[in-house]
Amino acid sequence: MEKERSEAPRFATTLIRSVQSADRAHRCAIAVMAKASAPGLVKTRLSPPLTPVDAAALNSAFLVDVAANLHVASLAAPIDTFMAFGPIGAAPFFEKRFGAEVGLIEVWHRDFGVCLFETMRTLFALGYGAACVLNSDSPTLPTARLIEAAHHLAKPGDRAVLGPSMDGGYYLLGLKAPRSEPFETISWSTEVVAQQTRARIDDIGLDLVELDPWFDVDDEATLHTLRSQISGRCEASAEAGFSAPATVAFLATLDSRGEMSQPPYQEASFSPAAPVALVDE
């Protein structure tokens, strides 16, 4: 039997597009760990209460807001933005929504720790002096957290920066060299992720700087927290978060519809000049 010659790889790390940036050795690359917005395949723990189509659209709004937040942070700190995405073949989704100011890395592996390390390895191979991985589930993360992470990583001496999440995970991890240990033997998607990551960092003798915690949105309870924060009723944190205009606009669309049906919707796309412009899907 003749062997197939064009079988697509199931797992890969591929730099799709870099960012045009000078003096990368003195800059921090921050890669958002992202998934293309395919109904039924993203934000599944939000469906219900959302329909699969609405959950996917909310994912797109989150991605746009996280990119916009990073752009604002880059005005105050030497930050370059990347999307580290999957699944394989999803590049057109990201190329459509993000311009040349956002780098693209296709990274898809069975173990999430491998995805994180391969993302870091790719960023350091581009010559960056520091790199972070950032979640895509915290659209209202205060911009100051991103600026603070970049500033800590720009200081002399080796260290790690950790932004813990309120559910026991983390929203950001930053390093100054490509180290695999912080991503190894971690019980991903559990409440001990940050605890285990701290232990791995301690094992290799790195100084650890911790940012203040924040919440991510991945189930009905945290969606309620997000809505409460946006409406000013959130007691989880007195600190004002990023305005997340694309997310706010989409949630307002859901509210105006009443029931969560599935009509055509408008989806946000990102550009530095107009970070919340709406375009038809």
Side-chain angles (χ1 to χ4, degrees):
M1 182 181 294
E2 184 178 355
K3 185 177 180 180
E4 291 188 28
R5 286 173 278 181
S6 59
E7 184 179 352
R10 293 180 59 195
F11 306 105
T13 303
T14 306
L15 177 65
I16 303 297
R17 182 175 72 204
S18 187
V19 175
Q20 296 300 316
S21 184
D23 197 21
R24 289 177 178 166
H26 295 93
R27 298 184 66 80
C28 178
I30 301 183
V32 182
M33 304 307 295
K35 272 180 148 183
S37 297
L41 298 179
V42 294
K43 298 289 182 284
T44 54
R45 293 171 62 195
L46 287 171
S47 178
L50 305 181
T51 67
V53 168
D54 287 335
L58 185 63
N59 181 70
S60 293
F62 282 6
L63 293 175
V64 167
D65 282 332
V66 173
N69 198 4
L70 283 164
H71 172 66
V72 174
S74 74
L75 303 178
I79 292 171
D80 287 340
T81 299
F82 286 77
M83 289 279 165
F85 67 85
I88 289 175
F93 172 90
F94 291 91
E95 290 169 335
K96 174 182 177 181
R97 287 157 181 80
F98 302 98
E101 68 284 344
V102 177
L104 300 177
I105 304 169
E106 182 181 68
V107 56
W108 195 249
H109 298 275
R110 182 177 286 110
D111 187 284
F112 186 56
V114 176
C115 291
L116 294 171
F117 174 67
E118 283 293 302
T119 297
M120 287 286 209
R121 185 187 61 77
T122 301
L123 295 173
F124 283 115
L126 290 172
Y128 284 99
C132 300
V133 285
L134 177 69
N135 77 359
S136 60
D137 301 325
S138 300
T140 60
L141 179 71
T143 308
R145 299 277 206 288
L146 302 169
I147 297 169
E148 185 182 356
H151 284 167
H152 280 302
L153 291 168
K155 295 175 182 177
D158 203 3
R159 67 183 52 82
V161 175
L162 182 72
S165 297
M166 293 177 180
D167 62 1
Y170 59 79
Y171 59 83
L172 178 145
L173 180 63
L175 298 169
K176 299 186 71 172
R179 298 177 178 270
S180 62
E181 293 89 347
F183 310 110
E184 295 174 344
T185 324
I186 303 293
S187 302
W188 301 110
S189 302
T190 72
E191 69 279 0
V192 298
V193 168
Q195 176 185 334
Q196 291 177 338
T197 302
R198 292 184 188 100
R200 303 295 174 272
I201 291 170
D202 184 64
D203 288 344
I204 57 177
L206 274 185
D207 290 338
L208 176 62
V209 176
E210 291 213 26
L211 309 176
D212 288 337
W214 198 250
F215 69 98
D216 51 11
V217 181
D218 55 12
D219 58 20
E220 185 172 4
T222 48
L223 179 60
H224 178 72
T225 300
L226 175 65
R227 284 180 172 275
S228 296
Q229 185 201 30
I230 288 171
S231 64
R233 301 191 308 270
C234 182
E235 298 179 0
S237 174
E239 182 179 6
F242 182 64
S243 60
T247 298
V248 170
F250 183 74
L251 292 177
T253 298
L254 289 184
D255 292 341
S256 69
R257 278 163 32 193
E259 296 185 4
M260 301 211 180
S261 56
Q262 299 183 21
Y265 57 87
Q266 288 188 312
E267 183 180 290
S269 61
F270 169 76
S271 70
V276 295
L278 293 181
V279 297
D280 292 332
E281 171 66 7

